[in-house]
Amino acid sequence: MKVAANLSFMFGEAGGLLARYKAAKEAGFQAVECAFPYTVPAEEVASTLKELELKQVLINSDPGNLQAGELGFAALPGKEVTFRESLERSIQYAKALGCGKLHIMSGRRSKDHDEETHLATLEANLNHAVSRLSAENIIGLIEPLNPVSTPGYFLNSFETAQLLIEKINSPHLRLQLDIFHMQMICGNVTNNIKNLMPIVGHVQVAQAPHRHEPSCPGELDYPYIFSVLREAGYEDYVGAEYSPSTNSANSLQWLEKCQLHF
């Protein structure tokens, strides 16, 4: 396993997105991820990655209007055209950045539709996404988000995510396993990691409940958790998606404690 800095959470002290890439490189990172690079032209992000010799391992799908509370469209009935348009923009960015993983965001529940309608919409949109992503050699990811951090987000259940991934049954749709969200949603981390590992495509970490670096005091014993991940066979990137309790570069003690490297 290698660690990728999540630039939506880390290195905020450096300034804007492109400055965060440089700060991550200076701190020793060789790989990065970020939620929403869409405020910067794709060619500028790609140029920065090339200049710094960084690898972009993950981006989120185009969320829509964040200021208006939008967080994607995949589960929103009546927004199918918007979803497909946002997916194409996301694919363009992923290709420009050489990024092989795309987190497809389900969006917040609509008060006008029931659970079954949302779920059917999500399944249909994911089937379309898989068709497009397989053609572009990109892995689509879905991630349950806990209702404390992200109230109203539709996909807030690992059981639902597992059901969808197993039903669609494509190597281009995997689970984004965020250990912080898992702890906040359902706990039982050891058994859930072992159960879900066959469908996992990406892992992210933060301490619960405050979402600081894994070495901070909290509910999760990360040296143990990483031993479980290793035993389960995970060998891909781990996204450091946490809000540092101190300066970002000074928050990295957990890597050594967990026997990880950049």
Side-chain angles (χ1 to χ4, degrees):
M1 285 179 280
K2 293 183 179 180
V3 179
N6 187 298
L7 302 183
S8 299
F9 282 77
M10 298 184 70
F11 300 105
E13 60 269 31
L17 181 61
L18 297 183
R20 297 184 187 197
Y21 279 94
K22 184 178 180 182
K25 179 69 175 184
E26 290 174 348
F29 284 96
Q30 303 298 314
V32 295
E33 59 180 40
C34 64
F36 309 122
Y38 305 101
T39 56
V40 180
E43 57 270 21
E44 291 186 26
V45 181
S47 177
T48 299
L49 285 165
K50 183 177 180 181
E51 176 187 345
L52 297 172
E53 298 182 324
L54 282 170
K55 179 178 178 62
Q56 183 87 37
V57 300
L58 170 72
I59 60 172
N60 287 9
S61 60
D62 176 16
N65 187 342
L66 289 169
Q67 286 70 36
E70 292 179 336
L71 278 177
F73 308 98
L76 302 189
K79 293 282 189 178
E80 289 83 357
V81 172
T82 304
F83 169 74
R84 293 191 177 204
E85 291 172 347
S86 73
L87 178 65
E88 292 306 316
R89 186 179 186 214
S90 306
I91 289 172
Q92 289 174 4
Y93 262 79
K95 290 172 66 176
L97 274 51
C99 180
K101 297 179 184 178
L102 179 66
H103 170 201
I104 302 167
M105 304 201 74
S106 73
R108 299 183 191 273
R109 280 182 173 80
S110 167
K111 296 178 181 178
D112 300 325
H113 300 279
D114 61 18
E115 186 84 4
E116 289 184 2
T117 307
H118 281 91
L119 185 59
T121 302
L122 179 56
E123 182 180 341
N125 281 330
L126 288 175
N127 272 305
H128 169 75
V130 163
S131 175
R132 285 291 297 116
L133 295 175
S134 62
E136 303 292 352
N137 197 28
I138 297 170
I139 295 174
L141 301 166
I142 55 174
E143 177 189 18
L145 304 184
N146 80 79
V148 177
S149 302
T150 316
Y153 192 75
F154 175 73
L155 186 60
N156 61 8
S157 161
F158 282 88
E159 291 180 355
T160 300
Q162 183 176 17
L163 179 70
L164 285 165
I165 291 167
E166 292 179 347
K167 186 175 183 181
I168 293 171
N169 190 26
S170 167
H172 291 274
L173 183 65
R174 302 281 91 184
L175 177 68
Q176 185 164 314
L177 175 55
D178 187 310
I179 305 295
F180 162 77
H181 284 299
M182 173 176 282
Q183 174 67 4
M184 298 289 284
I185 291 170
C186 56
N188 194 19
V189 171
T190 299
N191 289 322
N192 279 320
I193 287 174
K194 292 177 179 178
N195 174 49
L196 295 169
M197 190 51 61
I199 61 170
V200 169
H202 192 68
V203 169
Q204 293 176 322
V205 296
Q207 185 58 272
H210 43 62
R211 211 170 189 176
H212 293 324
E213 61 267 26
S215 54
C216 276
E219 298 173 3
L220 296 167
D221 177 359
Y222 269 103
Y224 168 76
I225 288 170
F226 276 104
S227 74
V228 174
L229 287 167
R230 290 187 183 94
E231 184 179 341
Y234 188 73
E235 296 178 338
D236 208 339
Y237 282 98
V238 173
E241 191 182 41
Y242 62 79
S243 298
S245 63
T246 179
N247 178 281
S248 296
N250 294 331
S251 72
L252 303 175
Q253 313 94 314
W254 64 277
L255 275 77
E256 183 176 355
K257 293 179 181 179
C258 297
Q259 301 178 42
L260 295 166
H261 56 90
F262 296 118

